[in-house]
Amino acid sequence: MDPAIHPQSTRDKILDVAEARFSQRGFAGVGLQELASAAGLGKSSLFHHFSGKVQLYLAVLDRVLERIELHVAPALASDAEPRAALDRVVDTLIDSLVEHPTAPRLLLRALFEDDEFPDEQAPEVQAVDRRLHSLVSAFHAVVERGVARGVFRKVSAPDTIQTLIGATIYHFASGDFGRELFGEPLLAASAVARRKREVKLLLRHGLRTPGPGPNETPERNPT
Amino acid sequence: MDPAIHPQSTRDKILDVAEARFSQRGFAGVGLQELASAAGLGKSSLFHHFSGKVQLYLAVLDRVLERIELHVAPALASDAEPRAALDRVVDTLIDSLVEHPTAPRLLLRALFEDDEFPDEQAPEVQAVDRRLHSLVSAFHAVVERGVARGVFRKVSAPDTIQTLIGATIYHFASGDFGRELFGEPLLAASAVARRKREVKLLLRHGLRTPGPGPNETPERNPT
DNA sequence: GTCTATACTACGATAGAC
DNA sequence: GTCTATCGTAGTATAGAC
């Protein structure tokens, strides 16, 4: 149990190889035999750690969401000025996606593939849904707060969430296409820095209240 | 051959059911038996119309891209003012995605799933790549033109393309998640209209050159 | 906790009758 | 152009030995 002696359990090793494979080819595209041999196990041994393929997939997803949550939560929880909070969300979210490059694809699949899991009410499904909902509603609150304080235009919060997801999760999920579009890997340091800058600037300018006021520090405008 | 007498060939029927299934569950998630019986055929009959599963999938993709191209091309080809052209691109692209709701998911998969097709140089693969590249480079030109004319900030064109894809294709691909986020189907008339408006406004404000100038008609500012 | 062995189904694809 | 039959493989899952 000591992580210094057992740096990773068999279960964690399975999760690691499953995360890599599922990220690349999706749930249906990966077989348990492939996973088992990649983890150095026999096919049947997987069933001693996970009750089935679906549960393994959900465990992978849950771990990915947990890591994102850990990175982004501070930026979302802070009651900082909305524009600064939004910048921090973009930075921390992109940091977490870059640190674990399997995450964007797994998340993207989870978001757009309508889960067709046999038991919709299974505890594993609900755990994943709960984490996702937590992140989304926290970001929703940041946008609404910005609108209420008058530092953002009267944008639709759900639409803004979708745009942010597209600008971050989709972006870093687009593998060959993205690499060809930019002429360099999406994970290259320069490409990551540019992406952060571009997204933050687009949101900065795109969300701010137009008006004749100065484009900086129109803070605290109660009523 | 007369479309009035033969409104759709067997090949088209196969393409239709394949488009629906592949859109929902992806390439690996759909079996040929399922496709065949949904098209009212025996499994083996598929091989008389397509030489294999991969070719069928690529034919579906190509048809989807062709339809998008037909909708969006006029907006991209026009040498109109860049901001107006951008608005038209958003409108026509979203129109085409809504008209064929299978398209967003198929396109999204094509963009982020690194094609692991046996023969990378097969003509079918290149046909799809060509259509995709055509659309992307045309949009690239619109953004660059706007930057050159000074009506857009000095944004990164590839980053802008990624953002637009996320804001449109990802958005309309996000099924259950999107429906839960908005509280109504993404294809509801009100949701579509709002999405168009939000994306166009975000780009309008997010891309325009800041400066002290008026927020409207800073046209023609040659050096 | 991992293994071999096995059950049963489905997969993509081919051959050949009609 | 569609069919039945079949091949070889791989799929998820279970049972039981070690």
Side-chain angles (χ1 to χ4, degrees):
Chain A
M1 306 282 183
D2 189 335
I5 299 179
H6 302 285
Q8 95 173 344
S9 63
T10 303
R11 187 189 149 96
D12 287 338
K13 182 159 209 166
I14 295 172
L15 283 173
D16 285 344
V17 304
E19 182 174 324
R21 302 299 223 268
F22 283 142
S23 166
Q24 280 259 320
R25 298 199 296 282
F27 178 76
V30 178
L32 294 186
Q33 193 162 51
E34 172 192 353
L35 287 181
S37 59
L41 292 175
K43 181 171 55 165
S44 301
S45 303
L46 296 180
F47 291 91
H48 277 266
H49 300 274
F50 303 93
S51 56
K53 192 187 185 185
V54 171
Q55 285 72 27
L56 171 55
Y57 185 73
L58 290 171
V60 168
L61 256 187
D62 190 60
R63 203 176 60 156
V64 167
L65 278 170
E66 186 186 19
R67 289 194 304 235
I68 306 270
E69 219 171 21
L70 237 59
H71 270 81
V72 181
L76 285 167
S78 75
D79 52 356
E81 196 274 327
R83 287 167 302 182
L86 190 53
D87 280 355
R88 280 196 67 199
V89 168
V90 171
D91 281 330
T92 55
L93 178 55
I94 289 182
D95 280 339
S96 72
L97 297 178
V98 170
E99 189 175 337
H100 293 102
T102 54
R105 291 187 181 197
L106 285 164
L107 283 177
L108 190 58
R109 289 186 199 275
L111 288 174
F112 91 90
E113 288 177 344
D114 291 336
D115 312 329
E116 43 192 327
F117 298 128
D119 188 357
E120 194 83 10
Q121 306 302 328
E124 296 93 342
V125 178
Q126 291 190 320
V128 168
D129 283 351
R130 195 163 358 99
R131 280 198 206 277
L132 207 55
H133 187 269
S134 161
L135 275 168
V136 166
S137 64
F139 184 74
H140 194 282
V142 170
V143 175
E144 296 269 280
R145 187 149 35 92
V147 173
R149 291 193 191 177
V151 299
F152 291 157
R153 291 165 28 227
K154 287 190 172 53
V155 293
S156 151
D159 279 285
T160 308
I161 292 173
Q162 287 283 75
T163 301
L164 178 82
I165 291 175
T168 53
I169 295 178
Y170 157 71
H171 170 79
F172 284 102
S174 67
D176 287 348
F177 174 77
R179 142 131 207 131
E180 198 182 332
L181 181 60
F182 287 90
E184 64 179 341
L186 295 179
L187 295 180
S190 59
V192 172
R194 184 179 56 241
R195 188 66 192 164
K196 281 185 182 178
R197 179 165 25 93
E198 292 283 336
V199 172
K200 283 186 288 187
L201 274 178
L202 184 79
L203 292 178
R204 219 13 118 98
H205 292 123
L207 296 184
R208 75 165 170 222
T209 77
N215 59 359
E216 204 54 48
T217 56
E219 307 187 23
R220 303 298 159 80
N221 194 16
T223 315
Chain B
M1 305 285 183
D2 189 335
I5 298 181
H6 302 283
Q8 93 174 348
S9 64
T10 302
R11 187 190 149 95
D12 287 338
K13 183 160 208 165
I14 295 173
L15 283 173
D16 284 345
V17 304
E19 181 174 327
R21 306 294 167 114
F22 283 141
S23 166
Q24 279 258 321
R25 297 198 298 283
F27 178 77
V30 179
L32 293 187
Q33 194 162 51
E34 172 191 354
L35 288 181
S37 61
L41 293 174
K43 181 171 56 163
S44 301
S45 302
L46 296 181
F47 291 89
H48 275 264
H49 298 273
F50 302 93
S51 56
K53 192 188 184 184
V54 170
Q55 285 71 27
L56 171 55
Y57 185 73
L58 290 171
V60 168
L61 258 186
D62 190 61
R63 203 177 61 157
V64 167
L65 278 169
E66 185 186 21
R67 288 194 304 235
I68 306 270
E69 220 170 21
L70 237 60
H71 270 80
V72 181
L76 285 168
S78 75
D79 51 356
E81 196 275 327
R83 287 167 303 185
L86 190 52
D87 279 355
R88 280 197 67 198
V89 168
V90 171
D91 281 330
T92 54
L93 178 56
I94 290 183
D95 281 339
S96 72
L97 297 178
V98 170
E99 188 176 337
H100 293 103
T102 54
R105 291 187 182 199
L106 285 164
L107 283 178
L108 190 60
R109 289 186 200 275
L111 289 174
F112 91 92
E113 289 178 343
D114 292 335
D115 313 328
E116 43 192 328
F117 298 128
D119 188 358
E120 195 85 8
Q121 306 301 330
E124 297 93 342
V125 178
Q126 291 191 322
V128 168
D129 283 351
R130 193 161 2 96
R131 280 198 205 277
L132 206 55
H133 187 270
S134 161
L135 275 168
V136 167
S137 63
F139 184 72
H140 193 282
V142 170
V143 174
E144 297 268 282
R145 186 148 35 93
V147 173
R149 292 193 190 176
V151 300
F152 291 158
R153 291 167 24 228
K154 287 190 171 55
V155 294
S156 151
D159 279 285
T160 307
I161 292 173
Q162 287 284 73
T163 301
L164 179 82
I165 292 175
T168 53
I169 295 178
Y170 157 71
H171 171 79
F172 285 102
S174 68
D176 286 348
F177 174 76
R179 142 131 208 130
E180 199 182 331
L181 182 61
F182 287 89
E184 64 180 341
L186 295 179
L187 296 181
S190 59
V192 172
R194 184 179 57 241
R195 187 66 192 163
K196 282 184 181 177
R197 178 165 26 92
E198 292 282 336
V199 172
K200 284 185 289 184
L201 275 178
L202 184 78
L203 292 178
R204 227 356 128 104
H205 293 125
L207 296 185
R208 75 165 169 223
T209 78
N215 58 0
E216 203 56 45
T217 55
E219 306 186 24
R220 305 296 158 84
N221 194 15
T223 314

